[in-house]
Amino acid sequence: MTAPTDLDVLMTRLGRAARAAATAMAAAPTAAKDKALRALARLLREQTEALQADNAQDIERAQANGLAAPMVDRLRLTPKVLETVAEGCEQIAAMPDPIGEITDVKRRPTGISVGRMRVPLGVFGMIYESRPNVTIEAASLAIKSGNACILRGGSEAIASNIALWKLVQRALTEAGLPAEAVQLIETTDRAAVGKLIAMPEYVDVIIPRGGKGLIERIASEARVPVIKHLDGNCHTYVDAEVDLEQALVVTDNAKTQKYSPCNATESLLVHAAQARAFLPRIGAVFAAKGVEMRCCPASKAILSDVPGAQVVDATEEDWSTEYLAPVISVKVVQTLDEAIAHINRYGSHHTDAILTTNHPNAMRFLREVDSSSVMVNASTRFADGFEYGLGAEIGISTDKFHARGPVGLEGLTSLKWVVLGQGEIRG
Amino acid sequence: MTAPTDLDVLMTRLGRAARAAATAMAAAPTAAKDKALRALARLLREQTEALQADNAQDIERAQANGLAAPMVDRLRLTPKVLETVAEGCEQIAAMPDPIGEITDVKRRPTGISVGRMRVPLGVFGMIYESRPNVTIEAASLAIKSGNACILRGGSEAIASNIALWKLVQRALTEAGLPAEAVQLIETTDRAAVGKLIAMPEYVDVIIPRGGKGLIERIASEARVPVIKHLDGNCHTYVDAEVDLEQALVVTDNAKTQKYSPCNATESLLVHAAQARAFLPRIGAVFAAKGVEMRCCPASKAILSDVPGAQVVDATEEDWSTEYLAPVISVKVVQTLDEAIAHINRYGSHHTDAILTTNHPNAMRFLREVDSSSVMVNASTRFADGFEYGLGAEIGISTDKFHARGPVGLEGLTSLKWVVLGQGEIRG
């Protein structure tokens, strides 16, 4: 056996402390958890100036390193960003406590009553890049859900993350909860991530947030479950029977309301019966907004006639591409079956919508499209924890196991069985 | 890139066929799935003699190989075993279809309605040893839950497994469902398991059933989620306030009703306030049944006086041991806290019970013991899918992620989000 490195020792200490804190957090009263969240909101407001000073260190280093301006902006803890995360903490404090809820209690013929109780998962590891406000989002979800967490933010935000985390620990202590319920990996040693994802004795689940490369690497190397979000290659399908005016508004919103979110539509499928009516009109909208259209032959034939439209041939690769940009792939399909098969083959199982007035088609789409969110007559942009009423979102899972789609407090919990007897024995 | 082996080609074919069948099964009508299950029950009864002839090959080979008699018995497909699995198929057919159920639909302020729909996981791989009836149990759960599965039974039961599987495929075909919804790995090449657990593109989850060594190896090598069941080191804790007569009956049942199941109690904790009253009486019961007691000093001092009792000193290792035999570890604790801490430290998070008349203590035990089943005043032997009313059980999960405790149809499903709109867009 090789001697443990300093990093091994550090990570084991973090892990042990997290496991101990998780036990205390699982049993923590709702009032204490909510008190910690409200204290955190207050501290974020009280310490806005001090936080900005710490944040300035990260900003300066990023600028000195020549980081691109949009990346530098993502680092900024403006008073507005801090107020938003403070309000987020208060909103989570106001939500019902998911922990301890007992449901589905049923009497069995043997006399025992069997039900399920919602409990925390234990310890989660959160790995994220740039935006330091994620430190507070992850911490506040951990506190409310009765979990402990170990946070690993990006090295570019290290000063901001440490400053925010210290406030979290003050808030926990104020509420009589263990400060170790939220720990941050203060070293920027890259090897720490490799350790964090391979400590099943201390960490129950890993939640990575960041680029696809990071998430794929973590998923392939982790020795614990990962709640992961890969691509959002979302589709909007315009069916043969459709309210065309509504379809125009919804398709436009799904693609152009914002280009960068994972729930923006990247591919438009149109039933052949509507292609001539719908495509020229949506094509004109896209042309006006500078959205490039990568087309199948049938859609190209129609869209090429739209004045100002940027129309090119789609390659096979386009059908699986998440552009996150003013680009959309467009395909004419002959049947609903073809649309569903195309989405299940090329999509990323994130969010897909059908626009239709036909009820059986709507129901088939809901059932047969294998995605974490399936929608009828709504913009794919709605796929979001806040829009779904989860109150907060720690990520969007494109997996099927455990949590699927937007993950809020419930995704950080598990159900255990409870059996209430009066001395029953098994015969 | 190295050329694919024959096994690679075989496993890829199995995987592709399973994935295609899973799509069909996800959309299969309830009536077709139930028809297949009833047809399977009928075929099992019609073909009892033929199945026994195939089974005889496995029995003869096992005997020739010198397999121990209890192991040979586990291979036997007696008419009684076949009738039991046939009845199991009919029971599953009679259960409500979990797939397509839409729950928790709520109207959001934006106008959209958001709910969740239960859907199959996709394809599961099942790896099991000896008992060939697991082939039918896994197949019937796959059919009802709208999943496809790839089965890998033990080589010692290969002839029986193939014969049973052919009946499953006949039943699927009779009901108009794809025969590939249930596939069996016909080769006994051990490397097939390694392939099966590392095909995330074709297999969504692995369910191993067998010895701890097998399950640990699969869990560490799998590249997809594993629903796994490791030890069942279950505790019964006799609290300070307790109905002693009831505690005697329940503790006896929990330990001695059967020694081999994973939900049998392996460790008895007794509050110091009841040690002198309870231990001599349960000690006499255990002595009469030949149950060896491995004791802490305090319990040893009391139990050594029981006539005929086999009392030895417990080692540190005893507290974590699943005996599956007429052996129990015994410890006197000073407080409920000590009992809970002991269970969470040494237990296997399977099933633990408190025997008490004190309500706050019962509630604390339910909440703070971190096990998949927590019980009050009932025998740990009740931790079982049938006893819990799941209708069937594909395994007992000792993990927290996704499924926890007995896993029935629901553990083979996932919830996706459904959004029902009237043309709403995001502002």
Side-chain angles (χ1 to χ4, degrees):
Chain A
M1 198 181 138
T2 51
T5 63
D6 292 351
L7 185 63
D8 288 331
V9 173
L10 168 67
M11 295 305 292
T12 301
R13 289 181 73 103
L14 282 169
R16 281 212 190 105
R19 184 58 81 205
T23 300
M25 290 300 288
T30 304
K33 297 190 289 185
D34 292 345
K35 185 178 176 188
L37 289 165
R38 284 190 298 262
L40 179 55
R42 193 197 74 236
L43 288 166
L44 287 164
R45 291 187 181 112
E46 283 175 9
Q47 302 292 322
T48 295
E49 276 184 44
L51 287 167
Q52 286 186 280
D54 290 310
N55 184 235
Q57 296 175 33
D58 290 330
I59 303 281
E60 280 160 31
R61 187 166 12 87
Q63 285 168 333
N65 291 344
L67 210 64
M71 293 299 289
V72 174
D73 282 341
R74 297 177 69 182
L75 286 176
R76 275 184 217 280
L77 289 178
T78 62
K80 182 161 173 281
V81 166
L82 290 169
E83 176 56 27
T84 303
V85 290
E87 282 172 16
C89 292
E90 288 169 338
Q91 282 167 15
I92 294 174
M95 290 175 70
D97 189 346
I99 300 306
E101 167 189 85
I102 300 182
T103 50
D104 299 324
V105 180
K106 296 202 175 85
R107 205 67 173 285
R108 298 290 305 152
T110 49
I112 59 172
S113 293
V114 179
R116 305 177 88 174
M117 181 190 280
R118 196 167 288 285
V119 291
L121 282 179
V123 178
F124 68 86
M126 179 99 186
I127 299 162
Y128 51 102
E129 294 172 334
S130 43
R131 300 186 197 276
N133 43 321
V134 175
T135 303
I136 299 297
E137 290 170 17
S140 55
L141 285 166
I143 293 167
K144 185 78 181 198
S145 61
N147 286 286
C149 67
I150 301 176
L151 306 177
R152 164 63 182 217
S155 56
E156 67 283 3
I158 188 72
S160 313
N161 286 333
I162 289 176
L164 290 166
W165 163 59
K166 296 221 157 137
L167 297 188
V168 173
Q169 295 209 312
R170 274 177 62 185
L172 284 163
T173 305
E174 248 186 56
L177 295 173
E180 295 75 18
V182 178
Q183 295 179 101
L184 183 102
I185 301 177
E186 291 168 88
T187 167
T188 54
D189 184 344
R190 282 169 176 274
V193 171
K195 304 280 179 198
L196 181 64
I197 65 177
M199 310 196 294
E201 62 279 37
Y202 302 127
V203 176
D204 298 292
V205 57
I206 291 287
I207 306 170
R209 260 164 80 164
K212 196 179 172 183
L214 170 81
I215 292 170
E216 282 180 332
R217 199 171 63 247
I218 286 169
S220 81
E221 291 171 15
R223 290 193 44 224
V224 297
V226 177
I227 295 180
K228 64 175 180 290
H229 167 213
L230 294 169
D231 318 33
N233 177 20
C234 304
H235 295 74
T236 295
Y237 164 60
V238 178
D239 196 24
E241 297 172 34
V242 68
D243 176 335
L244 270 187
E245 301 306 320
Q246 191 182 86
L248 269 174
V249 173
V250 172
T251 305
D252 176 24
N253 183 266
K255 180 64 215 175
T256 73
Q257 194 249 348
K258 267 195 185 176
Y259 295 114
S260 60
C262 57
N263 55 19
T265 284
E266 303 289 11
S267 198
L268 171 64
L269 304 180
V270 182
H271 192 282
Q274 291 295 349
R276 298 217 154 266
F278 182 71
L279 283 175
R281 296 185 63 191
I282 194 73
V285 171
F286 288 157
K289 296 190 177 182
V291 176
E292 180 185 320
M293 291 164 266
R294 303 210 180 156
C295 300
C296 70
S299 58
K300 191 182 176 202
I302 298 169
L303 288 164
S304 298
D305 293 338
V306 174
Q310 301 172 53
V311 175
V312 298
D313 289 315
T315 64
E316 176 72 9
E317 208 191 328
D318 277 304
W319 307 124
S320 349
T321 302
E322 179 184 30
Y323 301 112
L324 304 174
V327 182
I328 190 166
S329 62
V330 184
K331 185 174 167 67
V332 173
V333 294
Q334 301 304 316
T335 59
L336 172 63
D337 287 279
E338 188 186 343
I340 293 172
H342 180 95
I343 293 169
N344 285 339
R345 173 166 178 196
Y346 293 103
S348 63
H349 310 290
H350 188 295
T351 299
D352 301 287
I354 183 173
L355 310 182
T356 189
T357 55
N358 181 293
H359 182 69
N361 287 4
M363 293 311 292
R364 276 199 58 204
F365 190 93
L366 288 180
R367 178 149 176 186
E368 295 178 29
V369 170
D370 183 25
S371 296
S372 67
S373 288
V374 283
M375 301 187 169
V376 177
N377 296 333
S379 167
T380 55
R381 291 278 293 111
F382 280 112
D384 174 294
F386 293 93
E387 294 293 340
Y388 284 2
L390 303 184
E393 177 184 289
I394 200 147
I396 296 186
S397 168
T398 47
D399 281 330
K400 291 183 195 180
F401 207 68
H402 187 72
R404 202 169 180 194
V407 180
L409 290 170
E410 190 186 300
L412 297 173
T413 68
S414 163
L415 292 169
K416 68 181 178 189
W417 296 92
V418 294
V419 174
L420 305 172
Q422 302 84 34
E424 282 80 2
I425 59 172
R426 186 130 174 219
Chain B
M1 198 181 137
T2 50
T5 63
D6 292 350
L7 185 62
D8 288 333
V9 174
L10 169 67
M11 295 305 293
T12 301
R13 291 182 72 105
L14 282 170
R16 280 212 190 106
R19 186 57 83 206
T23 301
M25 290 299 288
T30 305
K33 297 190 289 187
D34 293 344
K35 186 178 175 187
L37 289 165
R38 284 189 297 263
L40 178 54
R42 193 197 72 235
L43 287 167
L44 286 164
R45 291 186 181 114
E46 283 175 7
Q47 302 291 322
T48 295
E49 276 185 43
L51 287 167
Q52 286 186 279
D54 290 309
N55 184 236
Q57 296 175 33
D58 291 331
I59 303 283
E60 280 160 30
R61 187 165 13 84
Q63 285 169 334
N65 291 344
L67 211 63
M71 294 299 289
V72 174
D73 282 342
R74 297 177 71 182
L75 287 176
R76 278 185 215 281
L77 289 177
T78 62
K80 183 160 173 280
V81 166
L82 290 168
E83 177 57 28
T84 303
V85 291
E87 282 172 17
C89 293
E90 287 168 338
Q91 281 168 15
I92 294 173
M95 290 174 70
D97 190 346
I99 301 305
E101 167 189 84
I102 300 182
T103 50
D104 299 324
V105 180
K106 295 200 175 84
R107 206 66 172 287
R108 299 289 305 152
T110 49
I112 58 172
S113 292
V114 178
R116 305 178 88 176
M117 181 190 281
R118 195 167 288 284
V119 291
L121 282 179
V123 178
F124 68 86
M126 179 99 187
I127 298 163
Y128 51 104
E129 293 173 332
S130 44
R131 296 187 201 275
N133 43 319
V134 175
T135 304
I136 299 297
E137 290 170 18
S140 55
L141 284 166
I143 293 168
K144 186 78 181 199
S145 61
N147 287 287
C149 67
I150 301 177
L151 306 177
R152 163 63 180 216
S155 58
E156 67 285 3
I158 187 73
S160 311
N161 286 334
I162 289 174
L164 290 166
W165 164 57
K166 296 223 157 137
L167 297 188
V168 173
Q169 295 209 311
R170 274 176 64 184
L172 284 163
T173 306
E174 246 184 58
L177 295 173
E180 294 76 19
V182 178
Q183 296 179 100
L184 183 101
I185 301 178
E186 290 168 88
T187 168
T188 54
D189 185 345
R190 282 170 175 273
V193 171
K195 304 281 178 197
L196 181 64
I197 65 177
M199 311 196 293
E201 61 280 37
Y202 302 126
V203 176
D204 298 292
V205 56
I206 292 287
I207 306 170
R209 260 166 78 166
K212 195 177 173 185
L214 171 81
I215 293 170
E216 282 181 332
R217 200 171 64 246
I218 286 169
S220 80
E221 291 171 14
R223 290 192 44 224
V224 297
V226 177
I227 295 179
K228 64 175 178 290
H229 167 212
L230 295 170
D231 317 34
N233 177 20
C234 304
H235 295 73
T236 294
Y237 164 60
V238 178
D239 196 22
E241 296 173 33
V242 68
D243 177 334
L244 270 185
E245 301 305 320
Q246 192 182 85
L248 269 174
V249 173
V250 172
T251 306
D252 177 24
N253 183 266
K255 179 64 214 174
T256 73
Q257 195 248 350
K258 266 194 185 176
Y259 296 113
S260 60
C262 57
N263 55 19
T265 284
E266 304 289 13
S267 200
L268 170 64
L269 304 180
V270 181
H271 191 282
Q274 290 295 347
R276 297 220 154 263
F278 182 70
L279 282 174
R281 296 185 63 190
I282 194 71
V285 172
F286 288 158
K289 295 190 177 183
V291 177
E292 180 185 320
M293 291 165 266
R294 304 209 180 158
C295 300
C296 70
S299 57
K300 191 181 175 203
I302 298 169
L303 287 164
S304 296
D305 295 337
V306 175
Q310 301 172 53
V311 176
V312 297
D313 289 316
T315 63
E316 176 73 7
E317 207 191 328
D318 276 305
W319 307 124
S320 345
T321 301
E322 180 185 29
Y323 302 113
L324 304 174
V327 181
I328 191 166
S329 61
V330 184
K331 186 176 167 67
V332 173
V333 295
Q334 301 304 317
T335 59
L336 172 63
D337 287 278
E338 187 187 344
I340 293 172
H342 180 95
I343 294 169
N344 285 339
R345 171 162 180 203
Y346 293 103
S348 63
H349 310 289
H350 188 294
T351 299
D352 300 288
I354 184 173
L355 310 183
T356 190
T357 54
N358 180 293
H359 183 69
N361 287 3
M363 294 311 291
R364 276 198 59 205
F365 190 92
L366 288 180
R367 178 148 176 188
E368 295 179 29
V369 170
D370 183 25
S371 297
S372 67
S373 288
V374 283
M375 302 186 169
V376 177
N377 297 333
S379 168
T380 56
R381 290 278 294 111
F382 280 112
D384 173 295
F386 293 92
E387 294 294 338
Y388 285 3
L390 303 183
E393 177 183 290
I394 200 148
I396 296 186
S397 169
T398 47
D399 282 330
K400 291 184 196 179
F401 207 68
H402 187 70
R404 202 171 182 193
V407 180
L409 290 169
E410 191 186 299
L412 298 172
T413 68
S414 164
L415 292 168
K416 68 181 179 189
W417 295 90
V418 293
V419 174
L420 305 172
Q422 301 84 34
E424 283 81 2
I425 59 172
R426 186 131 174 217

